[in-house]
Amino acid sequence: MTMYRSIAAFASATRIICVAGSSSARSAAFLSSPSALLQLDPTCTSIVGNVRTCPPASTNARFQAAAGGAAAAVAATGAEARCMSTSSSDSSDGVGKPAEFVKLADPAPGSPFHYAFPVHDLDAAKKFYGDVLGCAEGRSSPKWQDFSLNGHQIVCHWVGNDYRCQDYFNPVDGDEVPVPHTGLALTEDEFHALAERVRDAGVEFIIEPHLRFKGQPGEQWTMFFKDPSGNNLEFKAMTTIDNLFAKYNVVD
C-alpha cells in the first residue's frame, strides 16, 4: 500500500483530481490540462491507495472505497467537491482508451429506476431538465442525454424534430389526467418548492398544484406539466407517505 505525501503527489500517481467550483469550471479545467486545475479541494488530504471516484461532498463528508483490493478514505467536506478520473482501466471503447468523467450526482438508495423517452430537441430538453428541474447531467452523446432525477436515471433520446407526445386522457378525482406521464413522489416540502420553481420558470401547468383525494388514504398533492417535447410529467406528494401503496377501491 502506497502512502502519498500530498494530494498533488497522489493525483500525479493515480490521475485522480479533486476540484471545487461549478461543474462547467471543473470540466473546463479538467479537459484543459493538469496545470489548469488550480482549485484543488484542500479538504481532500487523507488519501491512501488507488481511489477511483468519490461522491459529492454534500452527500458524505468522509467515505471509504475499495479499488484493486486497497481500502481508501477521502475527507471531502466543503461544498461542491468532485473527483475526476482518467484511469486507464476506465475505457469507453473497451480497448484501454482513457475515459474522462466527472461525477455530479449519486444514485438513489435501493434500486434506482431507468426511464428513457423521446424528445424533438435535445438542447431544449437539456435546458428544461437541467435548468428548470435541476437534474444533474450524466453520460451523453450527440443524440441522447442522461440525467439524475433525484438519483434515478432518466434519458432524453432525440428521435426527430417532428416528435410531440400524443396525449390520451383519463378522469382522476375530477381532473382530466394526461397519459402517458411519469414523475416522482416527493415530500410535501419538496413538492411545494418544485411547484414554485416551475412556476417561476414560466412553465404552464396542465393541472395546477392542488390536493386531491381529500380525506382518503390516498390523499396527495399533485401537479402536471409538459417538457418542451410535450412529454407529460406528474409530481406528487402523499400527505401520508406510508399510504403510497394503500390498496382500496377509488370511486371517481
Side-chain angles (χ1 to χ4, degrees):
M1 182 178 297
T2 304
M3 297 293 293
Y4 297 95
R5 294 179 179 274
S6 68
I7 188 170
F10 173 80
S12 176
T14 65
R15 304 168 77 186
I16 306 293
I17 303 155
C18 298
V19 296
S22 68
S23 59
S24 58
R26 290 192 301 269
S27 299
F30 178 59
L31 296 176
S32 174
S33 68
S35 62
L37 294 169
L38 302 179
Q39 289 186 293
L40 290 178
D41 190 327
T43 63
C44 291
T45 55
S46 178
I47 304 175
V48 181
N50 184 18
V51 182
R52 294 279 302 286
T53 63
C54 69
S58 58
T59 303
N60 193 349
R62 187 176 179 87
F63 77 101
Q64 291 188 334
V74 177
T77 55
E80 298 303 315
R82 295 292 187 271
C83 284
M84 301 177 179
S85 171
T86 57
S87 171
S88 60
S89 61
D90 290 326
S91 173
S92 59
D93 57 12
V95 294
K97 180 180 178 181
E100 300 172 343
F101 69 89
V102 56
K103 181 179 175 183
L104 299 179
D106 287 327
S111 302
F113 74 75
H114 166 75
Y115 174 62
F117 55 95
V119 298
H120 82 289
D121 185 322
L122 197 56
D123 288 336
K126 288 181 178 181
K127 291 179 181 178
F128 178 81
Y129 287 96
D131 297 342
V132 177
L133 297 189
C135 298
E137 290 189 3
R139 294 172 299 145
S140 63
S141 87
K143 293 189 176 181
W144 54 266
Q145 175 67 58
D146 276 3
F147 286 100
S148 167
L149 181 64
N150 282 31
H152 301 280
Q153 185 191 47
I154 62 173
V155 189
C156 306
H157 285 269
W158 181 80
V159 296
N161 298 335
D162 295 332
Y163 168 78
R164 296 298 186 279
C165 177
Q166 181 176 353
D167 286 350
Y168 300 87
F169 294 91
N170 203 23
V172 178
D173 199 34
D175 294 321
E176 288 296 313
V177 169
V179 181
H181 63 258
T182 191
L184 289 176
L186 305 170
T187 67
E188 290 187 79
D189 287 344
E190 289 171 335
F191 175 90
H192 294 298
L194 179 61
E196 182 178 357
R197 179 172 183 153
V198 169
R199 197 184 302 278
D200 289 345
V203 176
E204 180 181 357
F205 288 103
I206 302 170
I207 297 176
E208 289 279 341
H210 71 287
L211 189 66
R212 69 181 176 192
F213 301 134
K214 294 180 181 179
Q216 299 182 43
E219 183 179 83
Q220 60 190 256
W221 290 93
T222 185
M223 59 179 160
F224 285 79
F225 51 89
K226 289 179 175 288
D227 74 4
S229 295
N231 298 307
N232 298 300
L233 295 164
E234 179 193 12
F235 290 87
K236 63 174 64 180
M238 305 295 295
T239 56
T240 304
I241 188 59
D242 288 344
N243 289 352
L244 183 62
F245 298 110
K247 181 175 173 55
Y248 66 101
N249 291 325
V250 176
V251 179
D252 291 326

